[in-house]
Amino acid sequence: MGLALLALVLGYGHLHAPDAGTTVELDWPSGLDSDQAAALLARHDLVRSEGAMAMFLRTTGGTSAFVPGPHILPQGLDPWDLRHLLERSPKRPTTRVTIPEGFHRFDIATRLDKLRVAGKNAFLRASADPLLLDELGIERKGALGIESAEGYLFPATYDFSLDSDPREIVRRLVTEADRRWAALATQHAAGFASLRNTLGYGRREILILASIVEKEAVQADERPLIASVFLNRLLDPTFKPKRLQSDPTASYACFSEPDVVPACAGFTGKITPAINRDSKNRYSTYVNDGLPPGPIANPGAPSIEAVLAPAATKYLYFVAKGGGRHTFSEALDQHNEAVRKLRATSPSAERPE
């Protein structure tokens, strides 16, 4: 044992692989011994010497405390840091993660991956795990219902340990969303009751609409106005068809189910008329009446509040006018005039609502 420890000390500085600035996302198998664990780490270029790492693991407690499942492991770590991550030790570092309002779960996954908190693919799997969704009480309604925790991953600032269990991250974000929702639903009980009585809306539908408001609004004071436009379209018996005509809804399909929507081929993040018009795009509110099948982002409290307490207007249309603001209109001819002015001053302006 003395010779082994001496060899370990002498070779310690040569155990970890060079830092290439990359991370490795892997599902750690259960039951690996020190030799097998070292071999796996070497195969992913996480250690330089497989034999030295196996010796390090054997002489520092073995691998029985390693946590099976998804891990995100940066290259260039020393062996103790690798051990702490694989054990999910409380000794591993923490980092602050800010999730902005309007991020969808694909944005969140990218940020968590970049910050080395959780692997992108592992988080996306966890946030769409039916068993976890059921555990958290997230309502799902088959093919037309919520298929993930989208809309329930509350945007805020959190402290997470590096290489956290993605399921625990989902649980924490949803728990925060539940807490915020309970307060808003109590504060705006009359508005909640009105939406339930007029449109049959529960929390799920309110979150869907709030996510659309979140993606459309730039200026905070316009959220209740934008919410009023969409609700007026849904409630006004003369407004037909019941199309919300919101670009962000159509583009969400290019993140959530790009293989289903032919127009999403080559999607670079910019919405196109073809994506809006694609008949296979079930999220497009240009070809489908009413709400999309689920939230298209994670709304913050102000957007949820805007749906629960919208402005009292008769607006049915809005179009951008610059500076993050919109022109709102009650009649189609007024809206068309606003669109004409917009296009006269900005020929490349995005499609109006």
Side-chain angles (χ1 to χ4, degrees), residues 45 60 157 188 200 225 281 342:
D45 296 323
T60 56
T157 297
H188 298 285
L225 292 170
N281 188 345
L342 171 69

Side-chain angles (χ1 to χ4, degrees), residues 12 127 202 268:
Y12 180 85
S127 61
T268 60

Side-chain angles (χ1 to χ4, degrees), residues 33-346:
D33 61 24
S34 295
D35 290 332
Q36 293 167 328
L40 180 58
L41 292 170
R43 189 158 62 247
H44 288 283
D45 296 323
L46 290 164
V47 297
R48 180 176 295 175
S49 170
E50 178 181 331
M53 187 64 182
M55 183 183 300
F56 170 82
L57 293 175
R58 283 195 298 272
T59 55
T60 56
T63 59
S64 61
F66 287 5
V67 178
H71 287 268
I72 182 169
L73 305 174
Q75 291 182 331
L77 293 183
D78 71 42
W80 279 109
D81 287 337
L82 275 174
R83 171 178 281 285
H84 291 156
L85 293 182
L86 289 168
E87 292 178 343
R88 295 255 159 84
S89 166
K91 296 179 181 179
R92 67 196 196 280
T94 62
T95 190
R96 184 152 291 184
V97 180
T98 296
I99 301 172
E101 296 171 345
F103 258 33
H104 48 54
R105 67 189 186 98
F106 303 93
D107 294 323
I108 297 173
T110 298
R111 177 156 295 187
L112 292 173
D113 190 284
K114 182 178 181 180
L115 294 174
R116 301 178 176 182
V117 171
K120 179 178 181 178
N121 295 325
F123 178 79
L124 290 175
R125 287 196 302 271
S127 61
D129 180 352
L131 294 179
L132 183 56
L133 299 183
D134 288 344
E135 172 198 318
L136 295 172
I138 294 177
E139 184 180 2
R140 292 180 293 132
K141 294 185 177 179
L144 296 180
I146 294 175
E147 297 153 340
S148 72
E150 193 76 88
Y152 294 79
L153 305 169
F154 196 80
T157 297
Y158 303 86
D159 289 321
F160 289 113
S161 297
L162 300 189
D163 187 30
S164 290
D165 183 340
R167 293 166 298 183
E168 290 303 317
I169 297 175
V170 172
R171 288 188 181 102
R172 187 168 172 192
L173 269 56
V174 172
T175 297
E176 181 64 18
D178 290 344
R179 186 180 73 82
R180 301 293 189 104
W181 166 257
L184 289 168
T186 299
Q187 182 182 354
H188 298 285
F192 188 13
S194 176
L195 289 169
R196 184 173 55 245
N197 293 334
T198 57
L199 291 168
Y201 281 8
R203 180 184 178 184
R204 169 182 172 273
E205 291 80 12
I206 290 170
L207 287 179
I208 294 174
L209 188 52
S211 72
I212 301 173
V213 172
E214 190 70 75
K215 298 298 283 187
E216 290 282 7
V218 179
Q219 302 297 331
D221 63 315
E222 287 195 350
R223 286 189 177 103
L225 292 170
I226 292 173
S228 77
V229 171
F230 292 135
L231 287 169
N232 288 342
R233 288 188 174 196
L234 294 166
L235 289 166
D236 188 339
T238 68
F239 188 88
K240 295 180 180 180
K242 298 293 185 183
R243 306 278 169 84
L244 299 186
Q245 295 181 304
S246 170
D247 285 0
T249 64
S251 65
Y252 182 75
C254 296
F255 294 97
S256 65
E257 45 190 25
D259 296 337
V260 175
V261 183
C264 287
F267 180 65
T268 60
K270 185 175 182 180
I271 192 67
T272 65
I275 293 172
N276 281 334
R277 294 194 303 263
D278 196 316
S279 61
K280 294 186 178 180
N281 188 345
R282 66 195 185 109
Y283 280 89
S284 175
T285 49
Y286 283 90
V287 296
N288 299 294
D289 287 0
L291 299 175
I296 60 168
N298 295 282
S303 289
I304 299 172
E305 190 169 27
V307 175
L308 289 169
T313 77
K314 295 182 180 180
Y315 294 141
L316 291 169
Y317 308 92
F318 65 92
V319 63
K321 64 177 180 180
R325 307 200 73 84
H326 297 83
T327 298
F328 295 85
S329 304
E330 295 182 10
L332 183 57
D333 57 347
Q334 297 171 338
H335 176 64
N336 288 338
E337 177 62 18
V339 171
R340 187 194 65 76
K341 290 180 179 179
L342 171 69
R343 289 176 173 166
T345 57
S346 179

